[in-house]
Amino acid sequence: MTGYKTYTDGEVLVADDLNDYLQQGVLRYSDKAARDADLTVNAREGMVAFTTKDDVVSWYDGSGWSDLTQTSVGDAVVSTSATGSATIDGVDYDYWTYTSSGNFVVTTAGFVDVLCVAGGGGGGSNGGGGAGGVVFQEGVYVTAGTAAVVVGAGGSGSTREGDPGNTSALGSRVAAQGGGNGSRANGNNGGSGGGGGTAGGADRTGGLGVPGQGNNGGDGNASPNGGGGGGGAGEAGADSTANGGDGGDGAEYNMTGTATYYGGGGGGGDQTTGGAGGVGGGGTGGSGAAGGNGTANTGGGGGGGGGGNSGGNGGSGIVIIRVPQ
């Protein structure tokens, strides 16, 4: 028997169809005795009844009636030792900070809040590295068991095109994409896009960021040979004008009792004046020198190299999980 039947014009409605299909709504009775008296013979598997005396919903499994019970799903119970505790907006939390990959062990399934920051992209010659993607989710349901926590490394800087940052994740539930690498050519896509360079004496475009995780990188400017700033979690990287473009600022979150910026883009490199790194760990663009590294565990992008020098390395990511006490 299926849960419904399609009737055609002229088809006869027989008693079995009435019992099996049309009477399978929620049946209302004063109490269980009245339900049982009425449905002793006519009960069908899958029927649902409501009794007003005790406000209970029950269902028939083919051999008898069973009450449907409501189980309240609350906050997860975690056996992994907490990193610390904090009061945030009047709520007391325990929190777990992962600066490198590890395990998160849940004793009882429930809800957690998660901040996931991927590794920042490495800076290239000119273009600043894009910040690692930043994802904050409240009320993430985690099942009982061990969830792998992955903290992405930052990408390496280069005299040509930096390496992209690496993804951070909490199991299969939350993931942030690594930052796009800065380049002497077009910036690369990523959590936030890498800044564009000036290869071939042309203005090269910045890479694209992932919506909800980051922003686009800025464009390069062949005169005066400045790279675009890497995109940040909070804003796009700046285009190069007279100097290297500034990296985009990151986004601010309070997971541990202290509001902190994550995901700043790397500044673009320039022969004379490199761009500033974005707030949230972005490396400074090189001024006729190598670009600065992104700050560890912020997902900041590496600064672009100036005057043909190497870009800086992207900063590693971080994962922070919190649960109300």
Side-chain angles (χ1 to χ4, degrees), residues 46-167:
M47 278 185 169
V48 178
F50 176 74
T51 49
T52 59
K53 182 177 180 179
D54 49 12
D55 291 334
V56 169
V57 178
S58 55
W59 65 286
Y60 192 75
D61 64 4
S63 60
W65 291 92
S66 299
D67 292 342
L68 293 175
T69 58
Q70 179 177 349
T71 301
S72 177
V73 179
D75 299 315
V77 178
V78 183
S79 61
T80 304
S81 297
T83 305
S85 59
T87 301
I88 303 169
D89 295 331
V91 180
D92 295 329
Y93 291 94
D94 290 325
Y95 64 86
W96 292 259
T97 299
Y98 291 84
T99 56
S100 60
S101 298
N103 291 319
F104 184 65
V105 183
V106 177
T107 304
T108 303
F111 298 103
V112 300
D113 299 337
V114 184
L115 176 67
C116 194
V117 181
S125 178
N126 288 139
V134 177
V135 176
F136 174 64
Q137 291 187 11
E138 296 181 291
V140 176
Y141 181 76
V142 291
T143 58
T146 300
V149 178
V150 177
V151 176
S156 298
S158 171
T159 54
R160 298 182 65 84
E161 181 176 286
D163 292 331
N166 293 278
T167 296

Side-chain angles (χ1 to χ4, degrees), residues 4-289:
Y4 67 95
K5 180 176 179 179
T6 302
Y7 291 86
T8 59
D9 291 341
E11 186 174 357
V12 176
L13 176 63
V14 297
D16 283 345
D17 288 349
L18 180 65
N19 292 331
D20 287 344
Y21 299 103
L22 300 185
Q23 294 190 155
Q24 287 216 40
V26 178
L27 307 176
R28 186 173 179 269
Y29 294 95
S30 60
D31 55 29
K32 293 179 180 178
R35 176 201 66 191
D36 294 343
D38 188 44
L39 298 175
T40 299
V41 176
N42 296 320
R44 296 289 192 274
E45 184 176 3
M47 278 185 169
V48 178
F50 176 74
T51 49
T52 59
K53 182 177 180 179
D54 49 12
D55 291 334
V56 169
V57 178
S58 55
W59 65 286
Y60 192 75
D61 64 4
S63 60
W65 291 92
S66 299
D67 292 342
L68 293 175
T69 58
Q70 179 177 349
T71 301
S72 177
V73 179
D75 299 315
V77 178
V78 183
S79 61
T80 304
S81 297
T83 305
S85 59
T87 301
I88 303 169
D89 295 331
V91 180
D92 295 329
Y93 291 94
D94 290 325
Y95 64 86
W96 292 259
T97 299
Y98 291 84
T99 56
S100 60
S101 298
N103 291 319
F104 184 65
V105 183
V106 177
T107 304
T108 303
F111 298 103
V112 300
D113 299 337
V114 184
L115 176 67
C116 194
V117 181
S125 178
N126 288 139
V134 177
V135 176
F136 174 64
Q137 291 187 11
E138 296 181 291
V140 176
Y141 181 76
V142 291
T143 58
T146 300
V149 178
V150 177
V151 176
S156 298
S158 171
T159 54
R160 298 182 65 84
E161 181 176 286
D163 292 331
N166 293 278
T167 296
S168 291
L170 169 62
S172 61
R173 305 297 298 170
V174 182
Q177 185 172 327
N181 37 318
S183 179
R184 61 190 297 271
N186 293 331
N188 290 274
N189 303 337
S192 282
T198 62
D203 300 346
R204 302 291 184 165
T205 59
L208 303 178
V210 175
Q213 296 194 17
N215 291 280
N216 299 342
D219 297 341
N221 187 341
S223 177
N225 200 31
E235 64 179 3
D239 297 338
S240 171
T241 53
N243 304 305
D246 293 340
D249 286 340
E252 185 181 38
Y253 296 94
N254 186 351
M255 296 290 288
T256 64
T258 302
T260 304
Y261 278 87
Y262 300 93
D270 182 73
Q271 294 186 22
T272 304
T273 305
V279 176
T284 302
S287 301

